[in-house]
Amino acid sequence: MRTHLWRLTGIICLLAILIGSAFASSSTYAAGQIPLNREADTNIQMIQASSADSGHLSQPLPPTIILPEISDLSPALRTITPAPMGPMQERELPLFQLPNAVNPKSTRTHDDSGVQTSMGPEAMPAPLQSFDGVANRFGGWPPDTEGDIGPTHYVQWINISFAVWQIDKINNTATMIYGPATGNTLFTGFGGPCENTNDGDPIALYDPLADRWLMSQFALPNYPVGPFYQCIAISQTGDPTGAYYRYQYTWPGDSMNDYPKFGVWPDAYYMTANQFASGSGAWRGAGVAAFNRSKMMVGNPTAEMVYFNLYNVNQNFGGMLPADFDGNTTPPVGAPGLFAEWNDSAVFPTNDALRVWEFHVDFVTPANSTFGSNGLPNFVIPTMDVDPNMCGGASACIPQPDTTAKLDAISDRLMYRLQYRNFGSYQTLVSNHTVDATGGDIAGIHWFELRNTGTGWTLYQNGVYHPDSNNRWMGSAAMDHVGDIALGYSVSSSSVHPSVRYAGRLVGDTPGTLPQSEASLVAGNGSQTDTTYSRWGDYSMLGVDPSDDCTFWYTQEYVAVTGANTWMTRIGSFKFPTCTAPTAITLEGTVTDAAFAPIAGVRIDVSGGYTTITDETGHYALDLEDGVYDITASKYGYVSSTVPGLIVMPPGTMQDFTLDTAPTSVISGVVTDAATGWPVYARIDISGFPGGPVFTDPVTGAYNVPLSNGSYTFSVYAMSGGYKANVLPLEVTANAVQDFTLVVDSIACTAPGYSISPDADCVAMPSSGLVIGSVFDLNNGTAIVNPSIKDANSNPALLIDNSADTSQAHPMYIIGEPAGTVSL
């Protein structure tokens, strides 16, 4: 091979050649493809709380700001051939337990007065639709059954495959139009762990505020060690088979982001994770995050993830869920994102209670974001006394017919979702979790409704559903727009094969009860016979149809034929006949330029969090309730236009926009080392600029970028690492020079050309400079990826991942050397 470099002398000099190309990792690992086991989980820490909600922080809880490593716009999903199913990995992961599971009550008490021990007198409505979803395609457990309903589609994503159905809601038919496809098909061509692994723990959510789809799963390419990743895709339109804006985020703290759950909110996509240490798998507490929804919907590569780690606040926090919005009335203006978990009094004396946090995210100044009261909950809400420790926390607990194999109850956490609604005079939160209903390890479902009438969150009603001797668990609860509640779940016993059923209540029924008697979505005809792995769930999903805000759609697993891993999934719908669709009022219009030509891709923002995009004819339409709204039309390259106080009323409202082209200015400058003046090869992320990151010249550190006049934030990062970022808000009004200096991270001291002095200071090597270049094969001239490069003193060069810099054709390295002739 041969090495390209420059050899120069001088006090301070930059030595380089401009050579670079893209490359990506090719590791493979899919946690969702393997049997998962928690029988031998020895890493969970027994954590006893000395007092309820005791915190350990003497200073404000700071957020961590993470930018995506990779982002792009995919081709239309319908044009992508599903990626092949990868081989199963011979690894065993525990189903990581939470503190609730390892702190059983000494008395195993429960409040019998709140347990419903009989079926209600009224019959639940029969299913409108009931059809099989994606089956077991990987030969393992569990399916992590999840999916959601949109105006015309149902999307289901399970471990480790997804599919899309076209839904005919008039004739009640469903037609699969895409899939089943492996989960990482969604990231074909994206590169990195999101494309090259398929690890599951998936979420598919419809965003009714913007007519978009959120699709996400984690990536664990080097399990059990990190780094660990969250892969997120946001559909460009309401068509789930269309193009997606794709993002990859590294989960901070070298912790595994297990059991990730998402919620849609007007200002952010909120997420929770149960965190476990890289390598050891030791418990590392709850992690919460807010993703910049506004940026993600337009493919902005600077879409921030604002993250809080609660481990040092209270190590017992875990099993938390973010609120997920349903309905036509958005949360109050500026309402924070909501999070909740349920805790047993054995963990947090002295009451069983729900804890609710408020996440105030500030995407303008992310450092100002707060979570709870310095990490502690804003509300602690006592509930009825229940016992969450099915079978003492053991995994094999739920019996089945004709086998000694039992199923996992997963009774240590809230079950997805935490559904939010705003009824105007009050707001609601609804969710559920599995408990020991009798004290004899018979599973029932503890469900609840919280309300906020303007003075804070309180318990409106709760109960335990246990109408007979069968086990009911793995539930999902939701409320329709008139206040009726439905609960879907698994049911099994020594005489009932694992099946899918649902029950419910009307808004006027006796509080704390589900008197609308149980109905069947599908009856199982077999049992899961494997005795090594008891996995079931790990979650299910009950959503509400945005078209009528009445029809419930539920997806869950069941067993059709007895076998070790013969589970199936089911999708079905039903509605209460007393619920009728609210009257929708259409706000619509056309956006044109000064020459009256239609403008596609204009973002229409309506106060309250509603968002849509104009089509190729410049037309947009949104269904709203009657009221007064502020409407803004905006697109990069044009001057935004706002109509304040628009009255939307029946039968519909028209509002057109004409946008003027925004003037453009060129911003240029150089990025240099603050101490030495060396030019720095850097990446510049510009918030509000849709063209992706800008890169400096590797030799000179120079850059230039044309921008439409307006407000931006420049975030500058050294491609080599080892420097602190430089973040600067900038108002662009005319051509201007904006230079940046980067300060070395003196603690890590990993910047090229720097070392630790005898006085333990991080200093630049005297009379030194930088060598930057690429390595080529002497025989064929091709660039060599990941070469090993050392100088005469055996100091290694740093390899730079410059795959995102399309101006460079090959991978690059950089090394600091004394002035003069060097040998590499």
Side-chain angles (χ1 to χ4, degrees):
M1 67 179 184
R2 67 176 185 265
T3 300
H4 285 264
L5 63 119
W6 291 61
R7 293 196 294 265
L8 297 174
T9 60
I11 300 288
I12 297 176
C13 56
L14 181 74
L15 309 160
I17 187 167
L18 304 184
I19 313 168
S21 74
F23 65 96
S25 63
S26 58
S27 57
T28 58
Y29 169 67
Q33 297 185 29
I34 62 174
L36 305 183
N37 173 36
R38 77 174 183 188
E39 298 287 351
D41 184 3
T42 60
N43 295 315
I44 300 301
Q45 301 172 352
M46 293 287 289
I47 305 168
Q48 299 293 338
S50 58
S51 62
D53 302 298
S54 57
H56 306 291
L57 295 183
S58 59
Q59 298 178 349
L61 179 67
T64 300
I65 315 304
I66 298 100
L67 293 175
E69 294 88 359
I70 313 174
S71 64
D72 76 351
L73 176 63
S74 77
L77 179 62
R78 71 183 75 89
T79 68
I80 300 175
T81 302
M85 183 70 66
M88 280 179 51
Q89 304 292 320
E90 293 301 324
R91 298 177 183 161
E92 296 180 6
L93 276 170
L95 187 158
F96 295 106
Q97 291 177 299
L98 309 181
N100 274 337
V102 291
N103 288 276
K105 286 185 176 179
S106 58
T107 59
R108 295 175 64 80
T109 60
H110 54 88
D111 182 0
D112 290 333
S113 65
V115 178
Q116 181 176 335
T117 57
S118 62
M119 296 287 183
E122 306 295 333
M124 280 293 288
L128 297 171
Q129 294 200 49
S130 183
F131 55 93
D132 278 337
V134 181
N136 190 348
R137 303 177 68 226
F138 65 96
W141 310 260
D144 287 356
T145 314
E146 209 276 341
D148 206 358
I149 182 69
T152 56
H153 297 88
Y154 190 92
V155 179
Q156 184 196 50
W157 195 351
I158 71 170
N159 277 342
I160 50 180
S161 303
F162 70 94
V164 180
W165 285 263
Q166 185 82 39
I167 303 297
D168 182 340
K169 298 176 183 178
I170 297 177
N171 297 307
N172 288 323
T173 60
T175 304
M176 184 185 293
I177 59 173
Y178 188 84
T182 53
N184 59 333
T185 297
L186 195 61
F187 293 89
T188 298
F190 187 63
C194 291
E195 178 180 6
N196 296 315
T197 66
N198 189 30
D199 291 342
D201 264 23
I203 290 291
L205 274 181
Y206 178 69
D207 179 348
L209 295 169
D211 188 26
R212 302 293 188 91
W213 292 87
L214 179 153
M215 305 280 280
S216 183
Q217 68 175 2
F218 61 18
L220 321 173
N222 306 303
Y223 183 85
V225 298
F228 307 106
Y229 303 89
Q230 196 67 38
C231 309
I232 304 175
I234 307 298
S235 66
Q236 189 181 34
T237 68
D239 181 359
T241 69
Y244 283 79
Y245 295 115
R246 305 184 291 192
Y247 294 87
Q248 175 185 296
Y249 296 86
T250 298
W251 197 257
D254 203 23
S255 294
M256 177 184 170
N257 44 319
D258 190 48
Y259 211 72
K261 297 292 174 286
F262 280 84
V264 173
W265 205 252
D267 64 349
Y269 293 124
Y270 288 104
M271 176 188 154
T272 58
N274 301 322
Q275 302 177 130
F276 296 89
S278 172
S280 69
W283 171 243
R284 285 295 177 264
V288 299
F291 295 89
N292 193 321
R293 174 175 173 266
S294 178
K295 288 184 177 180
M296 297 181 85
M297 287 193 298
V298 295
N300 191 315
T302 65
E304 307 94 333
M305 165 185 166
V306 178
Y307 161 86
F308 287 94
N309 185 358
L310 303 184
Y311 184 69
N312 290 329
V313 178
N314 193 308
Q315 296 176 15
N316 290 302
F317 292 152
M320 194 179 295
L321 290 179
D324 182 43
F325 168 82
D326 276 352
N328 291 316
T329 303
T330 57
V333 176
L338 300 171
F339 290 69
E341 72 178 55
W342 182 91
N343 300 110
D344 189 75
S345 61
V347 183
F348 286 86
T350 55
N351 297 103
D352 290 1
L354 284 156
R355 283 165 171 77
V356 177
W357 286 260
E358 296 178 341
F359 196 147
H360 291 269
V361 66
D362 184 343
F363 287 120
V364 176
T365 309
N368 291 341
S369 301
T370 61
F371 186 78
S373 177
N374 200 28
L376 297 176
N378 299 95
F379 304 94
V380 178
I381 306 165
T383 67
M384 62 184 292
D385 186 15
V386 296
D387 179 9
N389 293 284
M390 287 291 298
C391 302
S395 61
C397 188
I398 307 295
Q400 310 170 86
D402 309 319
T403 179
T404 59
K406 296 185 178 182
L407 304 175
D408 199 339
I410 312 184
S411 58
D412 62 348
R413 65 197 70 186
L414 289 180
M415 288 283 101
Y416 198 60
R417 294 177 296 153
L418 177 66
Q419 187 219 33
Y420 168 92
R421 279 191 180 275
N422 185 2
F423 287 90
S425 60
Y426 64 93
Q427 305 163 67
T428 65
L429 290 170
V430 174
S431 194
N432 80 103
H433 63 117
T434 303
V435 298
D436 180 354
T438 66
D441 289 327
I442 303 296
I445 298 177
H446 179 209
W447 60 274
F448 61 85
E449 177 189 349
L450 302 182
R451 286 193 179 184
N452 185 344
T453 59
T455 58
W457 291 97
T458 59
L459 183 67
Y460 177 73
Q461 61 176 326
N462 72 151
V464 172
Y465 191 63
H466 172 62
D468 56 29
S469 60
N470 294 319
N471 291 273
R472 289 168 177 81
W473 84 111
M474 202 58 60
S476 187
M479 177 185 288
D480 64 23
H481 81 96
V482 299
D484 308 324
I485 294 176
L487 177 68
Y489 45 83
S490 291
V491 60
S492 182
S493 68
S494 58
S495 59
V496 175
H497 292 290
S499 303
V500 183
R501 300 181 188 176
Y502 56 95
R505 57 173 282 106
L506 301 179
V507 64
D509 288 337
T510 302
T513 66
L514 302 178
Q516 307 298 311
S517 187
E518 187 172 81
S520 174
L521 193 63
V522 63
N525 292 309
S527 296
Q528 184 169 292
T529 58
D530 184 89
T531 56
T532 304
Y533 305 103
S534 57
R535 300 299 297 281
W536 190 263
D538 286 335
Y539 42 98
S540 63
M541 168 67 174
L542 183 66
V544 183
D545 196 320
S547 299
D548 63 6
D549 215 9
C550 288
T551 303
F552 296 95
W553 286 80
Y554 187 48
T555 185
Q556 172 66 284
E557 74 168 304
Y558 74 105
V559 179
V561 179
T562 294
N565 52 20
T566 55
W567 53 262
M568 304 281 288
T569 68
R570 197 72 165 184
I571 302 167
S573 64
F574 58 91
K575 70 181 290 289
F576 293 108
T578 52
C579 182
T580 57
T583 301
I585 303 168
T586 300
L587 167 67
E588 61 181 322
T590 301
V591 182
T592 59
D593 62 18
F596 303 105
I599 308 175
V602 176
R603 175 169 168 156
I604 306 296
D605 288 296
V606 180
S607 54
Y610 296 98
T611 302
T612 191
I613 302 293
T614 59
D615 60 21
E616 63 276 5
T617 68
H619 180 262
Y620 73 91
L622 277 170
D623 289 335
L624 305 171
E625 292 186 333
D626 59 331
V628 180
Y629 299 89
D630 297 335
I631 319 295
T632 298
S634 60
K635 182 179 182 179
Y636 183 79
Y638 295 87
V639 178
S640 299
S641 177
T642 298
V643 176
L646 179 68
I647 299 174
V648 176
M649 57 189 298
T653 300
M654 296 288 297
Q655 180 60 57
D656 296 331
F657 290 90
T658 299
L659 301 184
D660 294 325
T661 302
T664 299
S665 301
V666 175
I667 305 300
S668 59
V670 294
V671 179
T672 57
D673 182 301
T676 67
W678 295 338
V680 176
Y681 182 24
R683 164 179 167 162
I684 306 175
D685 293 330
I686 306 173
S687 65
F689 175 56
V694 174
F695 295 88
T696 64
D697 184 293
V699 174
T700 66
Y703 77 93
N704 72 84
V705 57
L707 297 172
S708 296
N709 289 2
S711 299
Y712 301 89
T713 298
F714 283 55
S715 301
V716 186
Y717 308 88
M719 293 293 288
S720 63
Y723 290 86
K724 298 177 182 178
N726 189 339
V727 179
L728 178 70
L730 188 65
E731 190 71 25
V732 176
T733 59
N735 295 345
V737 174
Q738 181 61 60
D739 296 331
F740 293 92
T741 58
L742 297 184
V743 176
V744 166
D745 182 348
S746 59
I747 297 177
C749 200
T750 59
Y754 280 79
S755 62
I756 301 294
S757 72
D759 296 329
D761 295 325
C762 182
V763 297
M765 294 182 293
S767 300
S768 62
L770 303 176
V771 178
I772 186 168
S774 295
V775 180
F776 294 87
D777 187 307
L778 188 60
N779 297 311
N780 56 29
T782 60
I784 296 176
V785 178
N786 296 326
S788 176
I789 304 172
K790 295 182 180 180
D791 64 12
N793 295 317
S794 297
N795 297 314
L798 177 69
L799 303 181
I800 300 175
D801 180 2
N802 63 341
S803 56
D805 185 357
T806 57
S807 68
Q808 304 303 315
H810 308 291
M812 304 182 77
Y813 71 88
I814 187 169
I815 188 170
E817 292 294 321
T821 301
V822 298
S823 298
L824 297 178

